[in-house]
Coordinates of all heavy atoms in Angstrom, one line a residue:
M1 N -5.9 -7.2 -17.1 CA -6.1 -6.1 -16.2 C -5.2 -6.2 -15.1 O -4.7 -7.2 -14.7 CB -7.6 -6.2 -15.7 CG -8.6 -5.8 -16.7 SD -10.2 -5.7 -15.9 CE -11.2 -5.5 -17.3
G2 N -5.0 -5.0 -14.4 CA -4.0 -4.9 -13.3 C -4.5 -5.6 -12.0 O -5.7 -6.1 -11.9
D3 N -3.7 -5.6 -11.0 CA -4.0 -6.3 -9.8 C -5.2 -5.7 -9.1 O -5.9 -6.4 -8.4 CB -2.8 -6.2 -8.8 CG -1.7 -7.2 -9.2 OD1 -1.9 -8.0 -10.1 OD2 -0.6 -7.0 -8.7
R4 N -5.4 -4.4 -9.2 CA -6.5 -3.8 -8.5 C -7.9 -4.2 -9.0 O -8.9 -3.9 -8.4 CB -6.3 -2.3 -8.4 CG -6.5 -1.6 -9.7 CD -6.3 -0.1 -9.6 NE -6.9 0.5 -10.7 CZ -7.0 1.8 -10.8 NH1 -6.5 2.6 -9.9 NH2 -7.5 2.4 -11.9
Y5 N -8.0 -4.8 -10.2 CA -9.2 -5.3 -10.7 C -9.6 -6.7 -10.4 O -10.7 -7.2 -10.6 CB -9.3 -5.1 -12.2 CG -9.2 -3.6 -12.6 CD1 -8.0 -3.1 -13.1 CD2 -10.3 -2.8 -12.5 CE1 -7.9 -1.7 -13.4 CE2 -10.2 -1.4 -12.8 CZ -9.0 -0.9 -13.3 OH -8.9 0.4 -13.6
R6 N -8.6 -7.4 -9.8 CA -8.9 -8.8 -9.4 C -9.8 -8.8 -8.1 O -9.9 -7.9 -7.4 CB -7.6 -9.5 -9.1 CG -6.8 -9.8 -10.3 CD -5.7 -10.8 -10.0 NE -4.8 -10.3 -9.0 CZ -3.7 -10.9 -8.6 NH1 -3.3 -12.0 -9.3 NH2 -2.9 -10.4 -7.7
K7 N -10.4 -9.9 -7.9 CA -11.3 -10.1 -6.8 C -10.5 -10.0 -5.5 O -9.4 -10.5 -5.4 CB -12.0 -11.5 -6.8 CG -13.0 -11.7 -5.7 CD -13.8 -13.0 -6.0 CE -14.6 -13.4 -4.9 NZ -15.6 -12.4 -4.4
S8 N -11.0 -9.3 -4.5 CA -10.3 -9.1 -3.3 C -10.3 -10.4 -2.4 O -11.3 -11.2 -2.4 CB -11.0 -8.0 -2.5 OG -10.4 -7.8 -1.2
R9 N -9.3 -10.5 -1.6 CA -9.2 -11.6 -0.7 C -9.9 -11.2 0.7 O -9.9 -12.0 1.6 CB -7.8 -12.1 -0.5 CG -6.9 -11.1 0.1 CD -5.4 -11.6 0.1 NE -4.6 -10.6 0.6 CZ -3.8 -10.7 1.6 NH1 -3.8 -11.8 2.3 NH2 -3.0 -9.7 2.0
F10 N -10.3 -10.0 0.8 CA -10.9 -9.5 2.0 C -12.4 -9.4 1.8 O -12.9 -9.3 0.7 CB -10.4 -8.1 2.3 CG -8.9 -8.0 2.5 CD1 -8.1 -7.5 1.6 CD2 -8.3 -8.6 3.7 CE1 -6.7 -7.4 1.7 CE2 -7.0 -8.5 3.8 CZ -6.1 -7.9 2.9
T11 N -13.2 -9.4 3.0 CA -14.6 -9.3 2.9 C -15.0 -7.8 2.6 O -14.2 -6.9 2.8 CB -15.3 -9.7 4.2 OG1 -14.9 -8.8 5.3 CG2 -14.9 -11.1 4.6
R12 N -16.2 -7.7 2.1 CA -16.7 -6.3 1.8 C -16.7 -5.5 3.1 O -16.3 -4.3 3.1 CB -18.1 -6.4 1.3 CG -18.7 -5.1 0.9 CD -20.1 -5.3 0.3 NE -20.8 -4.1 0.2 CZ -21.6 -3.5 1.1 NH1 -21.7 -4.1 2.3 NH2 -22.2 -2.4 0.9
D13 N -17.2 -6.1 4.2 CA -17.2 -5.3 5.5 C -15.8 -4.9 5.9 O -15.6 -3.8 6.4 CB -17.8 -6.2 6.6 CG -19.3 -6.4 6.4 OD1 -19.9 -5.6 5.7 OD2 -19.9 -7.3 7.0
F14 N -14.8 -5.8 5.8 CA -13.4 -5.4 6.2 C -12.9 -4.3 5.3 O -12.3 -3.3 5.8 CB -12.5 -6.6 6.1 CG -11.1 -6.3 6.5 CD1 -10.7 -6.2 7.8 CD2 -10.1 -6.1 5.5 CE1 -9.5 -5.8 8.2 CE2 -8.8 -5.8 5.9 CZ -8.5 -5.6 7.2
E15 N -13.2 -4.3 4.0 CA -12.8 -3.3 3.1 C -13.4 -1.9 3.4 O -12.8 -0.9 3.4 CB -13.0 -3.7 1.6 CG -12.1 -4.8 1.2 CD -12.0 -4.8 -0.3 OE1 -12.8 -4.2 -1.0 OE2 -11.0 -5.5 -0.8
H16 N -14.7 -2.0 3.8 CA -15.4 -0.8 4.2 C -14.8 -0.2 5.5 O -14.7 1.0 5.7 CB -16.9 -1.0 4.3 CG -17.5 -0.9 2.9 ND1 -18.2 0.2 2.4 CD2 -17.6 -1.8 1.9 CE1 -18.6 -0.1 1.2 NE2 -18.3 -1.3 0.9
L17 N -14.4 -1.1 6.4 CA -13.8 -0.7 7.7 C -12.5 0.0 7.4 O -12.2 1.1 7.9 CB -13.5 -1.9 8.6 CG -12.6 -1.6 9.8 CD1 -13.4 -0.8 10.8 CD2 -12.1 -2.9 10.4
V18 N -11.7 -0.5 6.5 CA -10.4 0.1 6.2 C -10.6 1.4 5.5 O -10.0 2.4 5.9 CB -9.6 -0.9 5.2 CG1 -8.3 -0.2 4.7 CG2 -9.2 -2.1 6.0
A19 N -11.4 1.5 4.5 CA -11.7 2.7 3.7 C -12.3 3.8 4.6 O -11.9 4.9 4.6 CB -12.6 2.4 2.5
G20 N -13.2 3.4 5.5 CA -13.8 4.4 6.4 C -12.8 4.9 7.4 O -12.8 6.0 7.8
S21 N -11.9 4.0 7.9 CA -10.9 4.4 8.8 C -9.9 5.4 8.3 O -9.5 6.3 9.0 CB -10.1 3.2 9.3 OG -11.0 2.3 10.0
T22 N -9.6 5.3 7.0 CA -8.7 6.2 6.4 C -9.3 7.7 6.3 O -8.5 8.6 6.2 CB -8.2 5.8 5.0 OG1 -9.4 5.7 4.1 CG2 -7.5 4.5 5.0
A23 N -10.6 7.8 6.4 CA -11.2 9.1 6.5 C -10.9 9.8 7.8 O -11.0 11.0 7.9 CB -12.7 9.0 6.2
K24 N -10.6 9.0 8.8 CA -10.5 9.6 10.2 C -9.0 9.4 10.7 O -8.7 10.1 11.7 CB -11.4 8.9 11.2 CG -12.9 8.9 10.8 CD -13.4 10.3 11.0 CE -14.9 10.4 10.7 NZ -15.4 11.7 10.7
M25 N -8.2 8.5 10.1 CA -6.9 8.3 10.6 C -5.9 8.3 9.5 O -6.3 8.1 8.4 CB -6.8 6.8 11.3 CG -7.7 6.6 12.4 SD -7.5 4.9 12.9 CE -9.2 4.3 12.9
D26 N -4.6 8.4 9.9 CA -3.6 8.4 8.8 C -3.4 6.9 8.5 O -3.8 6.0 9.2 CB -2.3 9.0 9.3 CG -1.8 8.3 10.6 OD1 -2.2 8.7 11.7 OD2 -0.9 7.4 10.4
K27 N -2.7 6.7 7.3 CA -2.5 5.4 6.8 C -1.7 4.5 7.7 O -2.0 3.3 7.8 CB -1.9 5.5 5.4 CG -2.0 4.2 4.5 CD -1.3 4.4 3.2 CE -2.1 4.7 2.1 NZ -1.4 4.6 0.8
T28 N -0.7 5.0 8.4 CA 0.1 4.2 9.3 C -0.7 3.7 10.4 O -0.6 2.5 10.8 CB 1.3 5.1 9.9 OG1 2.0 5.6 8.8 CG2 2.1 4.3 10.8
T29 N -1.6 4.5 11.0 CA -2.5 4.0 12.1 C -3.4 2.9 11.6 O -3.7 1.9 12.3 CB -3.3 5.2 12.7 OG1 -2.4 6.2 13.1 CG2 -4.1 4.8 13.9
V30 N -4.0 3.1 10.4 CA -4.9 2.1 9.8 C -4.1 0.8 9.6 O -4.7 -0.3 9.9 CB -5.5 2.6 8.5 CG1 -6.3 1.5 7.9 CG2 -6.4 3.8 8.8
T31 N -2.9 0.8 9.2 CA -2.1 -0.4 9.0 C -1.8 -1.1 10.3 O -1.9 -2.3 10.4 CB -0.8 -0.2 8.2 OG1 0.0 0.7 9.0 CG2 -1.0 0.4 6.9
K32 N -1.6 -0.4 11.3 CA -1.4 -1.0 12.7 C -2.6 -1.6 13.2 O -2.6 -2.6 13.8 CB -0.8 0.1 13.6 CG 0.6 0.4 13.3 CD 1.1 1.5 14.3 CE 2.6 1.9 13.9 NZ 3.0 3.0 14.8
L33 N -3.7 -0.9 13.0 CA -5.0 -1.4 13.5 C -5.5 -2.6 12.8 O -5.9 -3.6 13.4 CB -6.1 -0.3 13.3 CG -7.5 -0.7 13.7 CD1 -7.7 -0.8 15.1 CD2 -8.5 0.4 13.1
T34 N -5.3 -2.7 11.5 CA -5.8 -3.8 10.7 C -4.8 -4.9 10.4 O -5.1 -5.9 9.9 CB -6.4 -3.3 9.4 OG1 -5.4 -2.6 8.7 CG2 -7.6 -2.4 9.6
R35 N -3.5 -4.6 10.7 CA -2.4 -5.5 10.4 C -2.3 -5.9 9.0 O -2.0 -7.0 8.6 CB -2.5 -6.7 11.3 CG -2.4 -6.4 12.8 CD -2.5 -7.6 13.6 NE -2.4 -7.2 15.0 CZ -2.1 -8.1 16.0 NH1 -1.9 -9.3 15.7 NH2 -2.1 -7.6 17.2
I36 N -2.4 -4.9 8.1 CA -2.2 -5.1 6.7 C -1.2 -4.0 6.2 O -1.0 -3.0 6.9 CB -3.5 -5.0 5.8 CG1 -4.2 -3.7 6.0 CG2 -4.4 -6.2 6.2 CD1 -5.4 -3.5 5.1
A37 N -0.6 -4.2 5.0 CA 0.4 -3.3 4.5 C -0.2 -2.0 4.0 O -1.4 -1.9 3.7 CB 1.2 -4.0 3.4
Q38 N 0.6 -0.9 4.1 CA 0.2 0.4 3.6 C -0.3 0.3 2.1 O -1.3 0.9 1.7 CB 1.3 1.4 3.7 CG 1.4 1.9 5.1 CD 2.3 3.2 5.2 OE1 2.8 3.6 4.2 NE2 2.4 3.7 6.4
K39 N 0.4 -0.4 1.3 CA 0.0 -0.6 -0.1 C -1.3 -1.2 -0.2 O -2.2 -0.8 -1.1 CB 1.1 -1.4 -0.8 CG 0.8 -1.5 -2.3 CD 1.9 -2.3 -3.0 CE 1.6 -2.5 -4.5 NZ 2.6 -3.2 -5.2
T40 N -1.6 -2.2 0.7 CA -2.9 -2.9 0.7 C -4.0 -1.9 1.1 O -5.1 -1.9 0.5 CB -2.9 -4.1 1.6 OG1 -1.8 -4.9 1.2 CG2 -4.2 -4.9 1.5
V41 N -3.7 -1.0 2.0 CA -4.7 0.0 2.4 C -5.1 0.9 1.2 O -6.3 1.1 1.0 CB -4.2 0.9 3.6 CG1 -5.1 2.0 3.9 CG2 -4.0 0.0 4.9
G42 N -4.1 1.3 0.5 CA -4.3 2.1 -0.7 C -5.1 1.4 -1.7 O -6.1 2.0 -2.3
T43 N -4.8 0.1 -2.0 CA -5.5 -0.7 -3.0 C -7.0 -0.8 -2.6 O -7.9 -0.8 -3.4 CB -4.8 -2.0 -3.1 OG1 -3.5 -1.8 -3.5 CG2 -5.5 -2.9 -4.2
I44 N -7.2 -1.1 -1.3 CA -8.6 -1.3 -0.8 C -9.4 0.0 -1.0 O -10.5 0.0 -1.4 CB -8.6 -1.7 0.7 CG1 -8.1 -3.2 0.8 CG2 -10.0 -1.6 1.3 CD1 -7.9 -3.7 2.2
C45 N -8.8 1.1 -0.6 CA -9.4 2.4 -0.8 C -9.8 2.7 -2.2 O -10.9 3.1 -2.5 CB -8.6 3.6 -0.2 SG -8.5 3.5 1.6
E46 N -8.9 2.4 -3.1 CA -9.2 2.6 -4.6 C -10.3 1.7 -5.0 O -11.2 2.1 -5.7 CB -7.9 2.2 -5.4 CG -6.8 3.2 -5.3 CD -5.6 2.8 -6.1 OE1 -5.7 1.8 -6.8 OE2 -4.6 3.4 -5.9
R47 N -10.4 0.5 -4.5 CA -11.4 -0.5 -4.9 C -12.8 0.0 -4.4 O -13.8 -0.1 -5.1 CB -11.0 -1.9 -4.4 CG -11.9 -3.0 -5.0 CD -11.4 -4.4 -4.7 NE -10.7 -4.6 -3.5 CZ -9.3 -4.9 -3.5 NH1 -8.6 -5.0 -4.6 NH2 -8.7 -5.1 -2.4
V48 N -12.8 0.4 -3.1 CA -14.1 0.8 -2.5 C -14.6 2.0 -3.2 O -15.8 2.1 -3.5 CB -13.9 1.0 -1.0 CG1 -15.1 1.7 -0.4 CG2 -13.6 -0.3 -0.3
V49 N -13.7 3.0 -3.5 CA -14.2 4.2 -4.1 C -14.7 3.9 -5.5 O -15.8 4.4 -5.9 CB -13.0 5.2 -4.2 CG1 -13.3 6.4 -5.2 CG2 -12.7 5.8 -2.8
A50 N -14.0 3.0 -6.3 CA -14.4 2.7 -7.6 C -15.8 2.0 -7.6 O -16.6 2.2 -8.5 CB -13.4 1.8 -8.3
K51 N -16.1 1.2 -6.6 CA -17.3 0.4 -6.5 C -18.5 1.2 -5.9 O -19.6 1.1 -6.4 CB -17.1 -0.8 -5.6 CG -16.4 -1.9 -6.2 CD -16.3 -3.1 -5.2 CE -15.4 -4.2 -5.7 NZ -15.2 -5.3 -4.6
E52 N -18.2 2.1 -5.0 CA -19.3 2.7 -4.2 C -19.6 4.1 -4.5 O -20.7 4.6 -4.2 CB -18.9 2.6 -2.7 CG -18.7 1.2 -2.2 CD -19.9 0.3 -2.2 OE1 -21.0 0.8 -2.1 OE2 -19.7 -0.9 -2.3
I53 N -18.7 4.9 -5.1 CA -18.9 6.3 -5.3 C -19.3 6.5 -6.8 O -18.6 6.1 -7.7 CB -17.7 7.1 -4.9 CG1 -17.5 7.0 -3.4 CG2 -17.9 8.6 -5.3 CD1 -16.4 7.8 -2.8
D54 N -20.4 7.2 -7.0 CA -20.9 7.5 -8.3 C -20.0 8.6 -9.0 O -19.8 9.7 -8.5 CB -22.3 8.1 -8.2 CG -22.9 8.5 -9.6 OD1 -22.3 8.1 -10.6 OD2 -24.0 9.1 -9.6
P55 N -19.4 8.2 -10.1 CA -18.4 9.2 -10.8 C -19.1 10.5 -11.3 O -18.4 11.5 -11.5 CB -17.8 8.4 -11.9 CG -18.8 7.3 -12.1 CD -19.5 7.0 -10.9
K56 N -20.4 10.5 -11.4 CA -21.1 11.6 -11.9 C -21.5 12.6 -10.8 O -22.1 13.7 -11.0 CB -22.4 11.2 -12.6 CG -22.1 10.4 -13.9 CD -23.4 10.0 -14.5 CE -23.1 9.1 -15.7 NZ -24.3 8.7 -16.4
R57 N -21.2 12.3 -9.5 CA -21.6 13.1 -8.4 C -21.1 14.5 -8.4 O -21.7 15.4 -7.8 CB -21.3 12.4 -7.1 CG -19.8 12.5 -6.7 CD -19.4 11.6 -5.6 NE -18.0 11.7 -5.2 CZ -17.0 11.4 -5.9 NH1 -17.2 10.8 -7.1 NH2 -15.8 11.6 -5.5
L58 N -20.0 14.8 -9.1 CA -19.4 16.1 -9.1 C -19.6 16.9 -10.4 O -19.0 17.9 -10.6 CB -17.9 16.0 -8.8 CG -17.5 15.4 -7.4 CD1 -16.0 15.3 -7.3 CD2 -18.2 16.2 -6.3
E59 N -20.4 16.3 -11.3 CA -20.6 17.0 -12.6 C -21.1 18.4 -12.5 O -20.7 19.2 -13.3 CB -21.6 16.1 -13.5 CG -20.9 14.9 -14.1 CD -21.9 14.2 -15.0 OE1 -23.1 14.5 -15.0 OE2 -21.4 13.2 -15.6
K60 N -22.0 18.7 -11.6 CA -22.5 20.1 -11.5 C -21.8 21.0 -10.5 O -22.1 22.1 -10.3 CB -24.0 20.0 -11.2 CG -24.8 19.4 -12.2 CD -26.3 19.4 -11.9 CE -27.1 18.7 -13.0 NZ -28.5 18.7 -12.7
L61 N -20.7 20.5 -9.9 CA -19.9 21.2 -9.0 C -19.2 22.4 -9.7 O -18.6 22.2 -10.8 CB -18.9 20.3 -8.3 CG -18.0 21.0 -7.3 CD1 -18.8 21.4 -6.1 CD2 -16.9 20.0 -6.9
S62 N -19.3 23.6 -9.2 CA -18.7 24.7 -9.8 C -17.6 25.4 -8.9 O -16.7 25.9 -9.5 CB -19.7 25.7 -10.3 OG -20.5 26.2 -9.1
I63 N -17.8 25.3 -7.6 CA -16.9 26.0 -6.7 C -16.6 25.2 -5.5 O -17.5 24.6 -4.9 CB -17.4 27.4 -6.3 CG1 -17.7 28.3 -7.5 CG2 -16.5 28.0 -5.2 CD1 -18.4 29.6 -7.1
I64 N -15.3 25.1 -5.1 CA -14.9 24.5 -3.8 C -14.2 25.5 -3.1 O -13.3 26.1 -3.6 CB -14.1 23.2 -4.1 CG1 -14.8 22.1 -4.8 CG2 -13.5 22.7 -2.7 CD1 -14.0 20.9 -5.1
E65 N -14.5 25.7 -1.8 CA -13.8 26.6 -0.9 C -13.1 25.8 0.2 O -13.7 24.9 0.8 CB -14.7 27.6 -0.3 CG -15.3 28.6 -1.4 CD -16.2 29.7 -0.8 OE1 -16.0 30.0 0.4 OE2 -17.0 30.2 -1.5
V66 N -11.9 26.1 0.5 CA -11.1 25.5 1.6 C -10.5 26.5 2.5 O -9.9 27.5 2.0 CB -10.0 24.5 1.0 CG1 -9.3 23.9 2.2 CG2 -10.6 23.5 0.1
D67 N -10.7 26.4 3.8 CA -10.2 27.4 4.7 C -9.6 26.6 5.9 O -10.2 25.6 6.3 CB -11.3 28.3 5.2 CG -10.7 29.5 5.9 OD1 -9.5 29.8 5.9 OD2 -11.5 30.2 6.6
E68 N -8.5 27.1 6.4 CA -7.8 26.5 7.5 C -7.7 27.5 8.6 O -7.1 28.6 8.4 CB -6.5 25.9 7.2 CG -5.9 25.0 8.2 CD -4.7 24.2 7.7 OE1 -3.7 24.8 7.5 OE2 -4.9 23.0 7.6
I69 N -8.2 27.2 9.8 CA -8.3 28.2 10.9 C -7.5 27.7 12.0 O -7.7 26.5 12.5 CB -9.7 28.4 11.3 CG1 -10.6 28.9 10.1 CG2 -9.8 29.4 12.5 CD1 -12.1 28.8 10.4
A70 N -6.6 28.5 12.6 CA -5.8 28.1 13.8 C -6.7 28.4 15.0 O -7.3 29.5 15.2 CB -4.5 28.8 13.9
Y71 N -7.0 27.3 15.9 CA -7.8 27.6 17.0 C -7.0 27.5 18.3 O -7.6 27.8 19.4 CB -9.0 26.6 17.0 CG -8.7 25.2 17.3 CD1 -8.8 24.6 18.6 CD2 -8.4 24.3 16.3 CE1 -8.6 23.3 18.8 CE2 -8.1 23.0 16.5 CZ -8.2 22.5 17.8 OH -8.0 21.2 18.0
R72 N -5.8 27.1 18.3 CA -4.9 27.1 19.5 C -3.5 27.3 19.0 O -3.1 27.0 17.9 CB -5.0 25.8 20.2 CG -6.3 25.7 21.0 CD -6.1 24.6 22.0 NE -7.4 24.4 22.7 CZ -7.7 23.5 23.5 NH1 -6.8 22.6 23.8 NH2 -8.8 23.4 24.1
K73 N -2.6 27.8 19.9 CA -1.2 27.9 19.6 C -0.6 26.5 19.4 O -1.3 25.5 19.7 CB -0.5 28.6 20.7 CG -0.9 30.0 20.9 CD -0.1 30.7 22.0 CE -0.5 32.1 22.2 NZ 0.2 32.8 23.2
H74 N 0.5 26.4 18.9 CA 1.2 25.2 18.6 C 0.6 24.3 17.5 O 0.5 23.1 17.6 CB 1.4 24.4 19.9 CG 2.1 25.1 21.0 ND1 3.4 25.6 20.9 CD2 1.6 25.5 22.2 CE1 3.7 26.3 22.0 NE2 2.6 26.2 22.8
H75 N 0.1 25.0 16.5 CA -0.4 24.3 15.3 C -1.6 23.4 15.5 O -1.6 22.3 15.0 CB 0.8 23.5 14.6 CG 2.0 24.3 14.4 ND1 2.0 25.3 13.4 CD2 3.2 24.4 15.0 CE1 3.2 25.9 13.4 NE2 3.9 25.3 14.4
K76 N -2.6 23.9 16.1 CA -3.9 23.2 16.1 C -4.8 23.9 15.1 O -5.1 25.1 15.2 CB -4.5 23.3 17.5 CG -3.7 22.7 18.6 CD -3.9 21.2 18.6 CE -3.1 20.6 19.8 NZ -3.3 19.2 19.9
Y77 N -5.3 23.2 14.1 CA -6.0 23.8 13.0 C -7.4 23.0 12.8 O -7.5 21.9 13.1 CB -5.2 23.7 11.7 CG -4.0 24.5 11.7 CD1 -2.8 23.9 12.0 CD2 -4.0 25.8 11.5 CE1 -1.6 24.6 12.0 CE2 -2.8 26.6 11.5 CZ -1.6 25.9 11.8 OH -0.5 26.7 11.8
I78 N -8.3 23.8 12.3 CA -9.5 23.2 11.8 C -9.6 23.5 10.3 O -9.4 24.6 9.8 CB -10.8 23.9 12.4 CG1 -10.8 23.6 13.9 CG2 -12.1 23.4 11.8 CD1 -11.8 24.4 14.6
T79 N -9.8 22.5 9.5 CA -9.9 22.7 8.0 C -11.3 22.5 7.6 O -12.0 21.6 8.0 CB -9.1 21.6 7.3 OG1 -7.7 21.7 7.7 CG2 -9.1 21.8 5.8
Q80 N -11.8 23.5 6.9 CA -13.2 23.6 6.5 C -13.3 23.6 5.0 O -12.6 24.3 4.3 CB -13.8 24.9 7.0 CG -15.3 25.1 6.7 CD -15.8 26.4 7.4 OE1 -15.1 27.3 7.7 NE2 -17.1 26.4 7.5
V81 N -14.1 22.7 4.5 CA -14.3 22.5 3.0 C -15.8 22.8 2.7 O -16.6 22.2 3.3 CB -13.9 21.2 2.5 CG1 -14.1 21.1 1.0 CG2 -12.4 20.9 2.9
I82 N -16.0 23.7 1.8 CA -17.4 24.1 1.4 C -17.6 23.9 -0.1 O -16.7 24.3 -0.8 CB -17.7 25.5 1.8 CG1 -17.5 25.7 3.3 CG2 -19.1 25.9 1.4 CD1 -17.6 27.2 3.8

């Protein structure tokens, strides 16, 4: 099996911190905060998603709507997903 299936050298809490941070920050900021490589951030996110998210959660999903609204000049946007 590939590297991403091996046991992690990080704690579960640290991996959840990294994965949760990527939902709010860009990958570069997460790497600076946690002092790990960008590739490692991606690997951790893949591992957490594979372990924690039920793959059947979207089976009954039929429609996704995405809208982006400018709320100020100079490219300030709100992205809404329904």
Side-chain angles (χ1 to χ4, degrees):
M1 288 190 188
D3 287 349
R4 69 183 199 172
Y5 295 102
R6 289 194 301 188
K7 184 168 172 58
S8 174
R9 62 187 176 119
F10 301 106
T11 65
R12 181 179 171 272
D13 288 341
F14 181 78
E15 289 200 348
H16 281 259
L17 170 74
V18 171
S21 296
T22 59
K24 303 289 182 185
M25 299 179 232
D26 61 273
K27 200 184 257 190
T28 302
T29 304
V30 175
T31 61
K32 289 178 182 177
L33 174 71
T34 58
R35 297 182 181 197
I36 58 177
Q38 282 192 358
K39 184 177 179 181
T40 306
V41 172
T43 303
I44 287 173
C45 289
E46 288 176 10
R47 190 168 33 248
V48 170
V49 167
K51 286 180 186 176
E52 302 295 332
I53 296 183
D54 180 11
K56 295 179 182 180
R57 73 192 185 289
L58 301 177
E59 282 183 351
K60 295 182 181 182
L61 181 68
S62 59
I63 297 174
I64 295 176
E65 294 182 25
V66 179
D67 191 16
E68 191 167 71
I69 304 164
Y71 69 96
R72 288 196 182 173
K73 293 182 182 181
H74 307 297
H75 307 287
K76 300 282 184 174
Y77 296 98
I78 297 172
T79 302
Q80 182 178 21
V81 180
I82 301 171

